[in-house]
Amino acid sequence: MAPFKTFALFLAILVPGFAQNLTDQYRETANRLINEALADKAGYEKLAYLTDRIGNRLSGSASLDRAIKWAVETMQRDGLSNVRTIPVKVPHWVRGAESAKLIAPEQRPLHMLGLGMSVGTPAAGITAEVVVVSDFDEMIALGRDNVRGKIVLFNAPYKGYGPTVVYRSTGPSRAAALGAVAVLVRSISPLAMQIPHTGALTYDLVQAKIPAAAISLEDANMLARYYAAKVPIRVTLQMSARLEPDADSFDVMGEIPGRELPEEIVALGGHIDSWDVGRGAQDDGSGIMAALEAVAIMKKLGLQPRRTIRVVFWVNEENGARGGAAYRAWLGDKIANHVAAIEMDGGAESPRGFGYGGEEGGGRGGAAKPPSAAEQSSTAMLQQIGKLLDHIGAAEISRGGGGTDIAPLTHDGVASLGLVTVGTHYFDWHHTEADTLDKVDPDDFRKCIAAMAVMSYTLADMPGRLAGTK
């Protein structure tokens, strides 16, 4: 038997119904969904209300409470079934007043934002000499004697979000281990526009907790030039950040029940919380509104897939990921009925396609693991679905997909996907005051709705199901 025929027979056995090409089987339905999505206005109007009328939505805030109440009402108005909430205890971090000021060799304010979950400074602030390093090795080479009692500035060049964000997330504790009194981090972004970027840090519990803030690329580079010229640098950092007791919050979900296998679930969504700067438009208002509108369009067109489609707005992705964990706990043994989970949390620029299989390359810090035979067959199925999105430029199926909110599902074997966009400007606006509605192009947003609708509907309706990548 020819190799291709052997492989096709293997796929047909492994995945019932695969023998019928999914591109041909779902072309008409996909075109209906795409055409409706590209003409849609309601999704962008909902995003405008969320961002302009409710605003940013940090965990524990009153504005997040308003957003959750509005989300429940909106899902009900869109005609979804089983609209409900899952209680979640979330961290309640309060930024408070904050500033950073260069004292020497000149006096001027620095463009700064405290890092999420940072402790505050004493009321009078911390004034100390600054040492500047490009990476952790440079800091270690300085040694404790040259770091103790000083503020460490991590001026790490941007090499992509994943490789660079470690200076924000772990830098404060690594500097504290050498006796630093505070940390400044060059914002995790490729764009220099005097815009600081916030984001969460994670303290090592065996080290002292020291205050930490991001500064703009321009300010970081200026301090680095002083340091290279051996000009002494002194900075005063003042932060009244504090952590309040955990607050009550909720995940929000609604469904289109399946017509044949209602107990089997395809979940799609993003996170309803955001940082307390900007309006949370790209991160992740666009994700939750695109997911909701994708399902609302199915409802409008009278489409009821074989399995249940569930749209989920997870809470507390930004500074705790407790919403994803609470959802997984709520599922319990019913996780076996989760056919797939799709997360959109990379902004709403023009979609390229979907990543599949959890973290790329076998997980952080691990060697790339070759895909199993079942994963290869699932990729082939996804490529057939991807062809349905070819004319909006979203046909690409890549390895590595998912996201923070669905990571607990991925870990327990649920097939996970993440919408992939061109990502041209996402990290220009990410976690800044500039994350506002005007950064979301309506046409690109509609393409994202279309991609989410076609992928989720087909996965929920097709005869077979994807393999997980546990």
Side-chain angles (χ1 to χ4, degrees), residues 288-310:
I288 58 174
M289 290 299 101
L292 176 58
E293 198 60 19
V295 177
I297 285 172
M298 295 177 208
K299 187 75 178 176
K300 178 180 178 180
L301 293 177
L303 296 173
Q304 185 179 21
R306 180 177 281 110
R307 302 175 182 86
T308 294
I309 289 188
R310 175 182 293 161

Side-chain angles (χ1 to χ4, degrees), residues 403-416:
T404 299
D405 288 312
I406 62 176
L409 306 181
T410 309
H411 179 268
D412 285 341
V414 175
S416 297

Side-chain angles (χ1 to χ4, degrees), residues 207-386:
Q207 303 297 339
K209 294 181 179 180
I210 61 175
I215 61 174
S216 68
L217 275 67
E218 293 90 341
D219 285 349
N221 287 330
M222 177 188 67
L223 297 185
R225 291 191 296 271
Y226 287 146
Y227 190 74
K230 301 187 185 308
V231 176
I233 309 165
R234 289 183 69 80
V235 163
T236 295
L237 180 66
Q238 290 182 299
M239 297 172 59
S240 58
R242 65 190 187 277
L243 193 60
E244 300 282 358
D246 284 356
D248 293 321
S249 196
F250 303 90
D251 292 336
V252 185
M253 69 185 76
E255 298 173 345
I256 296 178
R259 68 178 188 274
E260 292 179 11
L261 300 168
E263 72 284 356
E264 294 191 4
I265 307 295
V266 171
L268 71 159
H271 62 88
I272 191 170
D273 64 304
S274 76
W275 281 108
D276 57 332
V277 293
R279 312 296 280 185
Q282 287 279 0
D283 185 21
D284 187 27
S286 63
I288 58 174
M289 290 299 101
L292 176 58
E293 198 60 19
V295 177
I297 285 172
M298 295 177 208
K299 187 75 178 176
K300 178 180 178 180
L301 293 177
L303 296 173
Q304 185 179 21
R306 180 177 281 110
R307 302 175 182 86
T308 294
I309 289 188
R310 175 182 293 161
V311 60
V312 187
F313 295 177
W314 288 281
V315 74
N316 185 230
E317 188 272 349
E318 295 292 7
N319 64 337
R322 295 189 189 174
Y327 180 76
R328 170 63 188 92
W330 175 78
L331 287 175
D333 293 341
K334 291 182 179 179
I335 191 171
N337 291 330
H338 256 60
V339 172
I342 309 171
E343 184 166 342
M344 179 176 165
D345 187 18
E349 295 178 85
S350 184
R352 287 168 36 198
F354 289 85
Y356 161 63
E359 292 178 359
E360 188 173 3
R364 292 186 185 129
K369 184 176 66 174
S372 66
E375 290 168 7
Q376 291 181 55
S377 70
S378 294
T379 299
M381 296 165 68
L382 290 168
Q383 288 169 344
Q384 292 184 5
I385 300 171

